[in-house]
Amino acid sequence: MSTSRPLLTDSARTDIAQRAYALDTQAELASTVLPMLAHHDLLRTGLPAAQGGHGGDVRDAIAAIAEVASLSLTTAFVFWSQRAFIHYLQASGNDAARERWWGPLLRGEIAGAVGLSNVIKFLSRIEALQVQAKPVAQGWCLDGVLPWVSNVRTQGFVVAAAVQPEGGGLPMVVALESGLPGLLRSPDLDLLGMRASNTAALQLNQVTVPAQALLAQAGPPYLKAARPGFLGMQCALSIGLARAALQAAAQGGGARGLLHSRVTEAQQTLGQIEAGVLEGVQDQRWVADVTPLFALRMRLAALVQEALQLELQATGGRAYLQDQQPDFGRRWRESAFIPIVTPSLTQLEGELAQHTAQVTA
């Protein structure tokens, strides 16, 4: 790590842990998640002091997101969404966009979201872009849909989206701010868990976006350059969840002796993968070839499932009693999200298969 600043205070840990079950099962407290992160001064983690951050780099953000994820995946996912948008804004050459949104994002006054599920599939040749852009005098007129976007708070949000210019050419990445005429947010999606993550669909009906909201004219190289940090912070979700489950397994009851070696081995593997993620993100090796990071994210997803199984076996029947072990049920629901968060395991497997085919051709 590049900064000695403590990641989470005791107050932050207590606050996040106490809300974890409610945030997973209810949407009513969704409006409180981002202000909580801002209150505990987490949104500035891993950003240069000259830009209003606490210093350090993306590794510090990964570590902080992982620590939050060990307490509440809903809170960590909002943290990741906010920090991921900041990451893309940081990588943009658009000074006007940073001037408009940087401060409010760090203060938690506006939510940052990344509506890039569709573009990830587009880059993987799975589907066409679902937002079309027509040039107009003021900038661009957009039509289309973003079917699944998280951290789109009804109190105000800005979302990074890839759009296809009329007539073809490279996709662009633009920032869409809530309140634009024609930008419609659906009611919250009816999720299995993580219900306070402000997850909804966005419909764009002739939305005019000014030139000042352009994050990148050439979307694919911009997205690929920022992808290691984006995915590294996403890996933190799995790291934190697996860490919490393995810690609970290590503290389990009757079968602990039989499971001890398996839990210890899984903890060692988790530590090795986490170190690999931090090292690779720092030295920029994955800008040219991101496939090793894809493989690490897949290993982490499998490790999350193993960790939950170990926690269940170590805890026994008590794990099925919500009045005794409510955190296990929450983590079990949270773990179902890990394989489907974009890029999903299926998409990653497809990318790795294509890479292998190209290498061996």
Side-chain angles (χ1 to χ4, degrees):
M1 303 301 295
S2 53
T3 176
S4 59
R5 182 180 182 273
L7 295 176
L8 267 68
T9 63
D10 290 342
S11 173
R13 293 184 63 85
T14 298
D15 203 3
I16 293 167
Q18 286 180 342
R19 303 186 198 203
Y21 181 81
L23 295 178
D24 184 61
T25 56
Q26 305 167 27
E28 286 77 9
L29 294 178
S31 64
T32 70
V33 183
L34 189 61
M36 175 173 63
L37 289 166
H39 171 74
H40 293 294
D41 209 16
L42 291 170
L43 302 177
R44 303 173 187 270
T45 306
L47 294 169
Q51 297 178 4
H54 293 309
D57 53 48
V58 71
R59 294 173 298 169
D60 301 281
I62 291 170
I65 294 169
E67 191 168 346
V68 173
S70 72
L71 303 168
S72 164
L73 198 69
T74 304
T75 306
F77 188 53
V78 169
F79 189 2
W80 170 79
S81 297
Q82 188 83 359
R83 193 58 180 74
F85 183 88
I86 291 170
H87 182 70
Y88 280 118
L89 190 60
Q90 189 178 27
S92 172
N94 188 335
D95 293 335
R98 277 195 296 274
E99 184 176 347
R100 178 174 179 82
W101 291 306
W102 190 264
L105 286 163
L106 297 192
R107 294 189 295 269
E109 296 168 358
I110 188 171
V114 282
L116 298 176
S117 173
N118 175 222
V119 74
I120 295 293
K121 296 176 183 178
F122 169 80
L123 293 175
S124 301
R125 296 168 292 280
I126 295 174
E127 66 183 26
L129 286 178
Q130 296 181 17
V131 179
Q132 304 298 309
K134 178 181 179 180
V136 294
Q138 305 93 330
W140 295 273
C141 181
L142 308 182
D143 285 280
V145 63
L146 300 174
W148 180 304
V149 190
S150 296
N151 202 31
V152 284
R153 300 178 78 231
T154 56
Q155 294 82 3
F157 62 84
V158 57
V159 55
V163 302
Q164 181 65 62
E166 184 181 55
L170 286 177
M172 304 180 297
V173 179
V174 301
L176 305 170
E177 190 168 4
S178 56
L180 288 172
L183 178 58
L184 306 177
R185 182 196 189 279
S186 76
D188 285 357
L189 302 182
D190 191 12
L191 304 179
L192 172 69
M194 300 175 62
R195 296 180 67 86
S197 58
N198 276 306
T199 299
L202 299 179
Q203 182 72 42
L204 288 77
N205 300 320
Q206 297 188 331
V207 176
T208 299
V209 175
Q212 294 89 337
L214 180 68
L215 298 182
Q217 182 78 48
Y222 164 75
L223 292 169
K224 288 178 179 178
R227 186 164 52 181
F230 172 88
L231 287 173
M233 289 188 287
Q234 194 180 78
C235 284
L237 302 173
S238 296
I239 291 168
L241 182 54
R243 183 187 297 162
L246 290 171
Q247 183 178 1
Q251 298 170 347
R256 183 185 175 199
L258 298 174
L259 296 173
H260 179 72
S261 62
R262 291 170 57 193
V263 172
T264 300
E265 182 179 353
Q267 288 175 322
Q268 292 172 346
T269 299
L270 178 62
Q272 292 166 359
I273 297 174
E274 181 179 8
V277 170
L278 294 174
E279 181 182 343
V281 166
Q282 171 62 15
D283 67 16
Q284 296 292 299
R285 70 180 73 161
W286 292 323
V287 173
D289 180 13
V290 76
T291 52
L293 181 53
F294 286 168
L296 287 178
R297 225 209 82 183
M298 291 175 65
R299 288 182 65 194
L300 281 169
L303 191 56
V304 167
Q305 301 305 317
E306 179 185 355
L308 265 293
Q309 287 291 335
L310 287 169
E311 180 181 359
L312 175 60
Q313 293 174 48
T315 309
R318 289 182 294 115
Y320 216 67
L321 298 172
Q322 292 202 79
D323 61 337
Q324 293 192 30
Q325 298 289 332
D327 287 340
F328 172 78
R330 171 180 55 79
R331 281 194 284 270
W332 189 268
R333 289 187 299 274
E334 291 173 343
S335 72
F337 183 67
I338 295 298
I340 63 171
V341 61
T342 301
S344 70
L345 290 192
T346 302
Q347 293 162 15
L348 292 174
E349 289 169 356
E351 286 285 341
L352 289 175
Q354 288 181 7
H355 177 76
T356 301
Q358 292 170 358
V359 170
T360 57

